[in-house]
Amino acid sequence: PVELPATVSESITKKDPIILDFEEKLRQKMGTKAIIDHKGEAGGKISLEYYSNADFNRIMKLLGIITEF
């Protein structure tokens, strides 16, 4: 017999442990919530949240996109 997840949302929210580890490392490095939506060979996206203009500038500086703010 096939074992189904307890709920539909459980099957949707399970992420590869490697991706979860990368999300945590991004959170630590960037100091903000980071989400990786990995779709295997099809690509995906990385999202970083910011909560103010100063926070946005801080993240841009960490990424090397701006040098000062």
Side-chain angles (χ1 to χ4, degrees):
V2 175
E3 187 174 329
L4 297 174
T7 65
V8 173
S9 63
E10 181 182 327
S11 66
I12 293 171
T13 58
K14 285 193 174 187
K15 282 191 179 181
D16 183 313
I18 294 170
I19 298 301
L20 290 172
D21 184 54
F22 287 156
E23 282 182 343
E24 181 57 29
K25 287 177 179 171
L26 271 171
R27 277 186 204 104
Q28 291 173 4
K29 177 93 175 164
M30 305 309 288
T32 194
K33 184 175 181 180
I35 300 170
I36 299 174
D37 182 14
H38 182 66
K39 299 179 193 251
E41 295 295 320
K45 72 179 176 181
I46 298 171
S47 299
L48 299 171
E49 290 192 12
Y50 60 93
Y51 306 99
S52 66
N53 285 341
D55 202 26
F56 176 81
N57 287 328
R58 180 187 62 77
I59 292 168
M60 292 297 107
K61 188 173 179 182
L62 284 170
L63 291 170
I65 294 172
I66 60 175
T67 56
E68 59 182 72
F69 59 94

Short mmCIF file of all heavy atoms in Angstrom, two decimals:
data_model
loop_
_atom_site.label_atom_id
_atom_site.label_comp_id
_atom_site.label_asym_id
_atom_site.label_seq_id
_atom_site.Cartn_x
_atom_site.Cartn_y
_atom_site.Cartn_z
N PRO A 1 0.82 -1.20 0.00
CA PRO A 1 0.00 0.00 0.00
C PRO A 1 0.86 1.26 0.00
O PRO A 1 1.94 1.28 0.57
CB PRO A 1 -0.82 -0.10 1.27
CG PRO A 1 -0.17 -1.17 2.11
CD PRO A 1 0.68 -1.97 1.21
N VAL A 2 0.34 2.31 -0.60
CA VAL A 2 1.02 3.61 -0.65
C VAL A 2 0.65 4.41 0.58
O VAL A 2 -0.51 4.51 0.95
CB VAL A 2 0.60 4.38 -1.93
CG1 VAL A 2 1.20 5.76 -1.92
CG2 VAL A 2 0.98 3.61 -3.17
N GLU A 3 1.65 4.99 1.26
CA GLU A 3 1.40 5.81 2.44
C GLU A 3 1.27 7.26 2.03
O GLU A 3 2.22 7.86 1.52
CB GLU A 3 2.53 5.65 3.46
CG GLU A 3 2.22 6.34 4.76
CD GLU A 3 3.27 6.06 5.80
OE1 GLU A 3 3.86 4.97 5.79
OE2 GLU A 3 3.50 6.96 6.62
N LEU A 4 0.09 7.81 2.20
CA LEU A 4 -0.18 9.19 1.83
C LEU A 4 0.11 10.12 3.01
O LEU A 4 0.02 9.70 4.16
CB LEU A 4 -1.65 9.35 1.42
CG LEU A 4 -2.07 8.54 0.19
CD1 LEU A 4 -3.56 8.67 -0.01
CD2 LEU A 4 -1.33 9.00 -1.04
N PRO A 5 0.46 11.40 2.72
CA PRO A 5 0.67 12.34 3.81
C PRO A 5 -0.62 12.54 4.59
O PRO A 5 -1.71 12.35 4.06
CB PRO A 5 1.09 13.63 3.11
CG PRO A 5 0.96 13.40 1.66
CD PRO A 5 0.68 11.96 1.42
N ALA A 6 -0.49 12.94 5.86
CA ALA A 6 -1.65 13.14 6.71
C ALA A 6 -2.57 14.22 6.16
O ALA A 6 -3.79 14.11 6.26
CB ALA A 6 -1.21 13.49 8.12
N THR A 7 -1.99 15.25 5.56
CA THR A 7 -2.79 16.32 4.98
C THR A 7 -2.18 16.73 3.65
O THR A 7 -1.03 16.45 3.36
CB THR A 7 -2.83 17.57 5.89
OG1 THR A 7 -1.50 18.10 5.97
CG2 THR A 7 -3.35 17.25 7.28
N VAL A 8 -2.97 17.42 2.86
CA VAL A 8 -2.47 17.92 1.58
C VAL A 8 -1.35 18.92 1.83
O VAL A 8 -0.32 18.89 1.15
CB VAL A 8 -3.61 18.57 0.76
CG1 VAL A 8 -3.06 19.24 -0.49
CG2 VAL A 8 -4.65 17.53 0.38
N SER A 9 -1.52 19.80 2.82
CA SER A 9 -0.50 20.82 3.07
C SER A 9 0.82 20.19 3.51
O SER A 9 1.87 20.73 3.22
CB SER A 9 -0.99 21.83 4.11
OG SER A 9 -1.20 21.20 5.34
N GLU A 10 0.78 19.05 4.18
CA GLU A 10 2.02 18.37 4.59
C GLU A 10 2.82 17.96 3.37
O GLU A 10 4.04 18.11 3.34
CB GLU A 10 1.68 17.15 5.44
CG GLU A 10 2.91 16.41 5.94
CD GLU A 10 2.56 15.17 6.73
OE1 GLU A 10 1.52 15.16 7.42
OE2 GLU A 10 3.33 14.19 6.64
N SER A 11 2.17 17.47 2.33
CA SER A 11 2.90 17.05 1.14
C SER A 11 3.44 18.25 0.37
O SER A 11 4.47 18.16 -0.27
CB SER A 11 2.01 16.20 0.23
OG SER A 11 0.95 16.97 -0.29
N ILE A 12 2.76 19.38 0.47
CA ILE A 12 3.19 20.58 -0.24
C ILE A 12 4.36 21.25 0.48
O ILE A 12 5.27 21.76 -0.15
CB ILE A 12 2.01 21.57 -0.39
CG1 ILE A 12 0.96 20.98 -1.31
CG2 ILE A 12 2.48 22.92 -0.91
CD1 ILE A 12 -0.34 21.75 -1.35
N THR A 13 4.35 21.25 1.81
CA THR A 13 5.33 22.01 2.56
C THR A 13 6.64 21.26 2.81
O THR A 13 7.59 21.87 3.28
CB THR A 13 4.76 22.47 3.91
OG1 THR A 13 4.34 21.32 4.64
CG2 THR A 13 3.59 23.41 3.73
N LYS A 14 6.72 19.98 2.53
CA LYS A 14 7.97 19.26 2.77
C LYS A 14 9.03 19.74 1.78
O LYS A 14 8.83 19.75 0.58
CB LYS A 14 7.76 17.76 2.62
CG LYS A 14 7.03 17.17 3.78
CD LYS A 14 7.09 15.67 3.78
CE LYS A 14 6.46 15.16 5.04
NZ LYS A 14 6.62 13.74 5.22
N LYS A 15 10.18 20.14 2.33
CA LYS A 15 11.29 20.60 1.51
C LYS A 15 12.46 19.67 1.73
O LYS A 15 12.63 19.08 2.79
CB LYS A 15 11.72 22.01 1.90
CG LYS A 15 10.82 23.09 1.37
CD LYS A 15 11.47 24.45 1.58
CE LYS A 15 10.59 25.53 1.04
NZ LYS A 15 11.18 26.85 1.19
N ASP A 16 13.30 19.60 0.72
CA ASP A 16 14.53 18.84 0.80
C ASP A 16 15.36 19.40 1.96
O ASP A 16 15.50 20.62 2.09
CB ASP A 16 15.27 19.01 -0.53
CG ASP A 16 16.55 18.21 -0.61
OD1 ASP A 16 17.35 18.25 0.35
OD2 ASP A 16 16.76 17.56 -1.64
N PRO A 17 15.92 18.55 2.81
CA PRO A 17 16.73 19.03 3.94
C PRO A 17 17.90 19.90 3.50
O PRO A 17 18.29 20.81 4.23
CB PRO A 17 17.22 17.74 4.60
CG PRO A 17 16.27 16.69 4.17
CD PRO A 17 15.75 17.11 2.82
N ILE A 18 18.45 19.66 2.34
CA ILE A 18 19.56 20.48 1.85
C ILE A 18 19.07 21.90 1.57
O ILE A 18 19.73 22.88 1.92
CB ILE A 18 20.19 19.85 0.59
CG1 ILE A 18 20.86 18.53 0.96
CG2 ILE A 18 21.18 20.81 -0.07
CD1 ILE A 18 21.32 17.70 -0.21
N ILE A 19 17.88 22.03 0.96
CA ILE A 19 17.31 23.34 0.68
C ILE A 19 17.00 24.06 2.00
O ILE A 19 17.27 25.25 2.14
CB ILE A 19 16.05 23.21 -0.19
CG1 ILE A 19 16.38 22.59 -1.55
CG2 ILE A 19 15.37 24.57 -0.36
CD1 ILE A 19 17.39 23.34 -2.38
N LEU A 20 16.46 23.34 2.97
CA LEU A 20 16.20 23.94 4.28
C LEU A 20 17.49 24.44 4.93
O LEU A 20 17.51 25.52 5.53
CB LEU A 20 15.50 22.93 5.20
CG LEU A 20 14.07 22.57 4.82
CD1 LEU A 20 13.57 21.41 5.69
CD2 LEU A 20 13.16 23.77 4.95
N ASP A 21 18.57 23.69 4.78
CA ASP A 21 19.87 24.10 5.32
C ASP A 21 20.35 25.36 4.62
O ASP A 21 20.85 26.29 5.27
CB ASP A 21 20.88 22.97 5.18
CG ASP A 21 22.22 23.31 5.80
OD1 ASP A 21 22.24 23.68 7.00
OD2 ASP A 21 23.24 23.20 5.10
N PHE A 22 20.20 25.42 3.30
CA PHE A 22 20.60 26.62 2.55
C PHE A 22 19.77 27.83 2.98
O PHE A 22 20.29 28.93 3.12
CB PHE A 22 20.44 26.41 1.05
CG PHE A 22 21.48 25.50 0.44
CD1 PHE A 22 21.20 24.83 -0.74
CD2 PHE A 22 22.72 25.31 1.01
CE1 PHE A 22 22.14 23.99 -1.32
CE2 PHE A 22 23.67 24.48 0.44
CZ PHE A 22 23.38 23.81 -0.74
N GLU A 23 18.46 27.63 3.21
CA GLU A 23 17.62 28.73 3.69
C GLU A 23 18.13 29.26 5.03
O GLU A 23 18.22 30.48 5.22
CB GLU A 23 16.17 28.27 3.85
CG GLU A 23 15.39 28.18 2.58
CD GLU A 23 13.95 27.77 2.78
OE1 GLU A 23 13.59 27.25 3.86
OE2 GLU A 23 13.17 27.98 1.84
N GLU A 24 18.46 28.36 5.93
CA GLU A 24 18.96 28.77 7.24
C GLU A 24 20.27 29.53 7.12
O GLU A 24 20.49 30.55 7.79
CB GLU A 24 19.13 27.55 8.16
CG GLU A 24 19.62 27.88 9.55
CD GLU A 24 18.76 28.87 10.31
OE1 GLU A 24 17.52 28.93 10.08
OE2 GLU A 24 19.31 29.62 11.13
N LYS A 25 21.17 29.06 6.26
CA LYS A 25 22.45 29.75 6.06
C LYS A 25 22.23 31.14 5.47
O LYS A 25 22.91 32.10 5.85
CB LYS A 25 23.37 28.91 5.18
CG LYS A 25 23.91 27.72 5.93
CD LYS A 25 24.77 26.83 5.07
CE LYS A 25 25.28 25.68 5.93
NZ LYS A 25 25.96 24.65 5.18
N LEU A 26 21.28 31.27 4.54
CA LEU A 26 20.95 32.58 3.98
C LEU A 26 20.38 33.50 5.06
O LEU A 26 20.72 34.68 5.12
CB LEU A 26 19.93 32.45 2.84
CG LEU A 26 20.47 32.25 1.45
CD1 LEU A 26 19.34 31.93 0.48
CD2 LEU A 26 21.23 33.47 0.98
N ARG A 27 19.49 32.97 5.90
CA ARG A 27 18.91 33.75 7.00
C ARG A 27 20.02 34.30 7.90
O ARG A 27 20.01 35.47 8.27
CB ARG A 27 17.97 32.89 7.86
CG ARG A 27 16.61 32.76 7.32
CD ARG A 27 15.70 32.01 8.31
NE ARG A 27 14.61 31.41 7.56
CZ ARG A 27 14.52 30.12 7.24
NH1 ARG A 27 15.43 29.27 7.64
NH2 ARG A 27 13.51 29.68 6.53
N GLN A 28 20.96 33.44 8.23
CA GLN A 28 22.05 33.85 9.11
C GLN A 28 22.94 34.89 8.43
O GLN A 28 23.32 35.90 9.03
CB GLN A 28 22.88 32.64 9.53
CG GLN A 28 22.14 31.70 10.46
CD GLN A 28 22.91 30.42 10.74
OE1 GLN A 28 24.03 30.24 10.30
NE2 GLN A 28 22.28 29.52 11.47
N LYS A 29 23.28 34.67 7.19
CA LYS A 29 24.18 35.57 6.45
C LYS A 29 23.53 36.92 6.19
O LYS A 29 24.17 37.96 6.32
CB LYS A 29 24.58 34.91 5.13
CG LYS A 29 25.42 35.72 4.22
CD LYS A 29 26.86 35.45 4.44
CE LYS A 29 27.70 36.20 3.42
NZ LYS A 29 29.06 36.26 3.83
N MET A 30 22.24 36.90 5.82
CA MET A 30 21.56 38.13 5.42
C MET A 30 20.82 38.80 6.57
O MET A 30 20.41 39.94 6.45
CB MET A 30 20.59 37.84 4.27
CG MET A 30 21.23 37.18 3.06
SD MET A 30 22.70 38.02 2.45
CE MET A 30 21.99 39.45 1.72
N GLY A 31 20.61 38.10 7.67
CA GLY A 31 19.93 38.68 8.81
C GLY A 31 18.46 38.94 8.57
O GLY A 31 17.90 39.87 9.15
N THR A 32 17.83 38.14 7.72
CA THR A 32 16.41 38.31 7.42
C THR A 32 15.82 37.01 6.92
O THR A 32 16.56 36.06 6.64
CB THR A 32 16.20 39.44 6.38
OG1 THR A 32 14.83 39.80 6.34
CG2 THR A 32 16.67 39.02 4.99
N LYS A 33 14.51 36.95 6.80
CA LYS A 33 13.85 35.75 6.32
C LYS A 33 14.26 35.48 4.87
O LYS A 33 14.25 36.38 4.03
CB LYS A 33 12.34 35.90 6.42
CG LYS A 33 11.59 34.66 6.04
CD LYS A 33 10.10 34.83 6.29
CE LYS A 33 9.36 33.56 5.92
NZ LYS A 33 7.92 33.70 6.15
N ALA A 34 14.61 34.23 4.59
CA ALA A 34 15.01 33.82 3.25
C ALA A 34 14.20 32.57 2.87
O ALA A 34 14.04 31.66 3.67
CB ALA A 34 16.50 33.50 3.20
N ILE A 35 13.69 32.57 1.65
CA ILE A 35 12.91 31.44 1.17
C ILE A 35 13.48 30.99 -0.17
O ILE A 35 13.70 31.81 -1.06
CB ILE A 35 11.42 31.82 1.00
CG1 ILE A 35 10.83 32.25 2.33
CG2 ILE A 35 10.63 30.65 0.40
CD1 ILE A 35 9.45 32.85 2.23
N ILE A 36 13.72 29.69 -0.31
CA ILE A 36 14.17 29.11 -1.57
C ILE A 36 13.04 28.25 -2.11
O ILE A 36 12.58 27.33 -1.44
CB ILE A 36 15.44 28.27 -1.39
CG1 ILE A 36 16.57 29.13 -0.85
CG2 ILE A 36 15.82 27.59 -2.71
CD1 ILE A 36 17.83 28.36 -0.49
N ASP A 37 12.58 28.59 -3.30
CA ASP A 37 11.55 27.81 -3.98
C ASP A 37 12.24 27.05 -5.10
O ASP A 37 12.35 27.53 -6.23
CB ASP A 37 10.46 28.74 -4.52
CG ASP A 37 9.33 28.00 -5.20
OD1 ASP A 37 9.22 26.77 -5.03
OD2 ASP A 37 8.55 28.66 -5.91
N HIS A 38 12.76 25.88 -4.77
CA HIS A 38 13.57 25.08 -5.70
C HIS A 38 12.67 24.12 -6.47
O HIS A 38 11.90 23.38 -5.89
CB HIS A 38 14.61 24.29 -4.91
CG HIS A 38 15.53 23.47 -5.75
ND1 HIS A 38 16.41 24.05 -6.62
CD2 HIS A 38 15.68 22.14 -5.85
CE1 HIS A 38 17.09 23.07 -7.23
NE2 HIS A 38 16.66 21.92 -6.78
N LYS A 39 12.77 24.17 -7.79
CA LYS A 39 11.95 23.32 -8.65
C LYS A 39 12.80 22.33 -9.45
O LYS A 39 12.47 22.00 -10.57
CB LYS A 39 11.10 24.18 -9.57
CG LYS A 39 10.17 25.10 -8.79
CD LYS A 39 9.37 25.96 -9.71
CE LYS A 39 8.72 27.05 -8.93
NZ LYS A 39 7.35 27.02 -8.75
N GLY A 40 13.91 21.91 -8.86
CA GLY A 40 14.78 20.94 -9.51
C GLY A 40 15.41 21.51 -10.76
O GLY A 40 15.87 22.65 -10.77
N GLU A 41 15.41 20.74 -11.80
CA GLU A 41 16.02 21.15 -13.07
C GLU A 41 15.31 22.34 -13.70
O GLU A 41 15.86 23.01 -14.57
CB GLU A 41 16.04 19.98 -14.05
CG GLU A 41 16.92 18.82 -13.62
CD GLU A 41 18.39 19.19 -13.56
OE1 GLU A 41 18.88 19.92 -14.44
OE2 GLU A 41 19.05 18.74 -12.61
N ALA A 42 14.08 22.62 -13.27
CA ALA A 42 13.29 23.72 -13.84
C ALA A 42 13.68 25.07 -13.26
O ALA A 42 13.14 26.09 -13.66
CB ALA A 42 11.80 23.46 -13.61
N GLY A 43 14.61 25.10 -12.30
CA GLY A 43 15.03 26.37 -11.71
C GLY A 43 14.32 26.63 -10.40
O GLY A 43 14.03 25.73 -9.64
N GLY A 44 14.00 27.89 -10.14
CA GLY A 44 13.34 28.27 -8.90
C GLY A 44 13.59 29.73 -8.61
O GLY A 44 13.95 30.50 -9.49
N LYS A 45 13.39 30.13 -7.34
CA LYS A 45 13.67 31.51 -6.96
C LYS A 45 14.09 31.57 -5.50
O LYS A 45 13.77 30.71 -4.70
CB LYS A 45 12.47 32.42 -7.23
CG LYS A 45 11.32 32.25 -6.31
CD LYS A 45 10.22 33.23 -6.67
CE LYS A 45 9.00 32.98 -5.79
NZ LYS A 45 7.91 33.87 -6.11
N ILE A 46 14.85 32.61 -5.21
CA ILE A 46 15.30 32.90 -3.85
C ILE A 46 14.70 34.24 -3.47
O ILE A 46 14.83 35.22 -4.19
CB ILE A 46 16.84 32.97 -3.77
CG1 ILE A 46 17.46 31.63 -4.16
CG2 ILE A 46 17.29 33.41 -2.38
CD1 ILE A 46 18.96 31.67 -4.32
N SER A 47 14.02 34.28 -2.31
CA SER A 47 13.40 35.51 -1.83
C SER A 47 14.00 35.93 -0.50
O SER A 47 14.18 35.09 0.39
CB SER A 47 11.89 35.31 -1.64
OG SER A 47 11.27 34.96 -2.85
N LEU A 48 14.30 37.22 -0.38
CA LEU A 48 14.77 37.80 0.87
C LEU A 48 13.80 38.88 1.29
O LEU A 48 13.48 39.77 0.48
CB LEU A 48 16.16 38.41 0.69
CG LEU A 48 17.28 37.47 0.27
CD1 LEU A 48 18.53 38.26 -0.08
CD2 LEU A 48 17.56 36.48 1.38
N GLU A 49 13.32 38.83 2.53
CA GLU A 49 12.40 39.85 3.01
C GLU A 49 13.17 41.01 3.62
O GLU A 49 14.24 40.83 4.18
CB GLU A 49 11.44 39.27 4.04
CG GLU A 49 10.45 38.32 3.41
CD GLU A 49 9.31 37.96 4.35
OE1 GLU A 49 9.15 38.60 5.41
OE2 GLU A 49 8.59 37.01 4.01
N TYR A 50 12.60 42.22 3.50
CA TYR A 50 13.15 43.39 4.19
C TYR A 50 11.98 44.16 4.77
O TYR A 50 10.86 44.06 4.32
CB TYR A 50 14.01 44.24 3.26
CG TYR A 50 13.31 44.79 2.04
CD1 TYR A 50 12.73 46.05 2.07
CD2 TYR A 50 13.23 44.05 0.87
CE1 TYR A 50 12.08 46.56 0.96
CE2 TYR A 50 12.60 44.55 -0.25
CZ TYR A 50 12.02 45.81 -0.20
OH TYR A 50 11.39 46.31 -1.30
N TYR A 51 12.26 44.92 5.83
CA TYR A 51 11.20 45.52 6.62
C TYR A 51 11.24 47.04 6.68
O TYR A 51 10.39 47.65 7.32
CB TYR A 51 11.23 44.91 8.03
CG TYR A 51 11.15 43.40 7.96
CD1 TYR A 51 12.30 42.62 8.06
CD2 TYR A 51 9.94 42.76 7.72
CE1 TYR A 51 12.23 41.23 7.96
CE2 TYR A 51 9.87 41.37 7.61
CZ TYR A 51 11.02 40.62 7.74
OH TYR A 51 10.95 39.26 7.62
N SER A 52 12.22 47.63 6.01
CA SER A 52 12.32 49.09 5.94
C SER A 52 13.30 49.44 4.83
O SER A 52 14.00 48.57 4.29
CB SER A 52 12.83 49.66 7.27
OG SER A 52 14.16 49.24 7.50
N ASN A 53 13.37 50.72 4.49
CA ASN A 53 14.35 51.16 3.49
C ASN A 53 15.77 50.90 3.97
O ASN A 53 16.63 50.49 3.18
CB ASN A 53 14.16 52.65 3.17
CG ASN A 53 12.96 52.90 2.30
OD1 ASN A 53 12.44 52.00 1.65
ND2 ASN A 53 12.48 54.13 2.31
N ALA A 54 16.01 51.12 5.25
CA ALA A 54 17.34 50.88 5.80
C ALA A 54 17.70 49.40 5.72
O ALA A 54 18.84 49.04 5.39
CB ALA A 54 17.43 51.36 7.25
N ASP A 55 16.73 48.54 5.98
CA ASP A 55 16.95 47.09 5.89
C ASP A 55 17.25 46.69 4.44
O ASP A 55 18.14 45.89 4.17
CB ASP A 55 15.72 46.35 6.42
CG ASP A 55 16.00 44.93 6.86
OD1 ASP A 55 17.15 44.63 7.22
OD2 ASP A 55 15.06 44.12 6.84
N PHE A 56 16.50 47.27 3.50
CA PHE A 56 16.74 47.01 2.07
C PHE A 56 18.17 47.41 1.70
O PHE A 56 18.89 46.64 1.06
CB PHE A 56 15.72 47.80 1.23
CG PHE A 56 15.94 47.69 -0.24
CD1 PHE A 56 15.49 46.58 -0.94
CD2 PHE A 56 16.60 48.69 -0.94
CE1 PHE A 56 15.69 46.48 -2.31
CE2 PHE A 56 16.80 48.59 -2.30
CZ PHE A 56 16.35 47.48 -2.99
N ASN A 57 18.59 48.59 2.12
CA ASN A 57 19.94 49.05 1.80
C ASN A 57 21.01 48.17 2.44
O ASN A 57 22.04 47.90 1.83
CB ASN A 57 20.11 50.50 2.24
CG ASN A 57 19.36 51.46 1.34
OD1 ASN A 57 19.19 51.22 0.16
ND2 ASN A 57 18.87 52.54 1.93
N ARG A 58 20.76 47.71 3.67
CA ARG A 58 21.70 46.81 4.35
C ARG A 58 21.88 45.52 3.55
O ARG A 58 23.00 45.04 3.33
CB ARG A 58 21.17 46.49 5.76
CG ARG A 58 22.05 45.57 6.56
CD ARG A 58 21.38 45.18 7.87
NE ARG A 58 20.15 44.44 7.65
CZ ARG A 58 20.07 43.15 7.30
NH1 ARG A 58 21.18 42.45 7.14
NH2 ARG A 58 18.91 42.56 7.13
N ILE A 59 20.78 44.97 3.06
CA ILE A 59 20.84 43.73 2.27
C ILE A 59 21.56 43.98 0.94
O ILE A 59 22.40 43.18 0.52
CB ILE A 59 19.42 43.16 2.05
CG1 ILE A 59 18.85 42.67 3.39
CG2 ILE A 59 19.44 42.03 1.02
CD1 ILE A 59 17.37 42.35 3.36
N MET A 60 21.27 45.11 0.30
CA MET A 60 21.95 45.43 -0.97
C MET A 60 23.46 45.58 -0.74
O MET A 60 24.26 45.15 -1.57
CB MET A 60 21.39 46.72 -1.58
CG MET A 60 19.97 46.62 -2.08
SD MET A 60 19.77 45.42 -3.43
CE MET A 60 18.93 44.11 -2.57
N LYS A 61 23.83 46.14 0.40
CA LYS A 61 25.25 46.27 0.73
C LYS A 61 25.88 44.89 0.95
O LYS A 61 26.98 44.62 0.46
CB LYS A 61 25.43 47.14 1.97
CG LYS A 61 26.87 47.47 2.26
CD LYS A 61 27.01 48.47 3.38
CE LYS A 61 28.49 48.73 3.63
NZ LYS A 61 28.69 49.65 4.73
N LEU A 62 25.19 44.00 1.66
CA LEU A 62 25.70 42.65 1.87
C LEU A 62 25.89 41.90 0.55
O LEU A 62 26.81 41.11 0.40
CB LEU A 62 24.75 41.85 2.77
CG LEU A 62 24.80 42.17 4.26
CD1 LEU A 62 23.64 41.50 4.99
CD2 LEU A 62 26.12 41.73 4.85
N LEU A 63 25.00 42.18 -0.40
CA LEU A 63 25.09 41.53 -1.71
C LEU A 63 26.14 42.19 -2.61
O LEU A 63 26.43 41.68 -3.69
CB LEU A 63 23.73 41.56 -2.42
CG LEU A 63 22.64 40.68 -1.79
CD1 LEU A 63 21.29 40.98 -2.41
CD2 LEU A 63 23.00 39.21 -1.94
N GLY A 64 26.70 43.32 -2.18
CA GLY A 64 27.70 44.01 -2.98
C GLY A 64 27.13 44.85 -4.08
O GLY A 64 27.83 45.28 -4.99
N ILE A 65 25.82 45.14 -4.01
CA ILE A 65 25.17 45.93 -5.06
C ILE A 65 25.37 47.41 -4.82
O ILE A 65 25.49 48.18 -5.77
CB ILE A 65 23.66 45.54 -5.13
CG1 ILE A 65 23.58 44.08 -5.60
CG2 ILE A 65 22.89 46.47 -6.05
CD1 ILE A 65 22.19 43.49 -5.55
N ILE A 66 25.42 47.83 -3.57
CA ILE A 66 25.77 49.21 -3.23
C ILE A 66 26.92 49.17 -2.24
O ILE A 66 27.13 48.19 -1.54
CB ILE A 66 24.56 49.99 -2.65
CG1 ILE A 66 24.03 49.34 -1.35
CG2 ILE A 66 23.46 50.13 -3.68
CD1 ILE A 66 22.94 50.13 -0.68
N THR A 67 27.67 50.26 -2.17
CA THR A 67 28.82 50.29 -1.28
C THR A 67 28.55 51.05 0.01
O THR A 67 29.20 50.82 1.00
CB THR A 67 30.05 50.89 -1.98
OG1 THR A 67 29.70 52.19 -2.47
CG2 THR A 67 30.49 50.00 -3.12
N GLU A 68 27.61 52.00 -0.03
CA GLU A 68 27.27 52.72 1.19
C GLU A 68 25.85 53.22 1.10
O GLU A 68 25.27 53.31 0.04
CB GLU A 68 28.23 53.87 1.45
CG GLU A 68 28.28 54.90 0.33
CD GLU A 68 29.28 55.99 0.63
OE1 GLU A 68 30.48 55.70 0.56
OE2 GLU A 68 28.85 57.11 0.92
N PHE A 69 25.28 53.54 2.25
CA PHE A 69 23.93 54.12 2.28
C PHE A 69 23.79 55.06 3.44
O PHE A 69 24.61 55.15 4.30
CB PHE A 69 22.84 53.05 2.32
CG PHE A 69 22.90 52.12 3.48
CD1 PHE A 69 22.15 52.37 4.62
CD2 PHE A 69 23.67 50.96 3.44
CE1 PHE A 69 22.16 51.48 5.69
CE2 PHE A 69 23.68 50.08 4.50
CZ PHE A 69 22.93 50.34 5.64
#
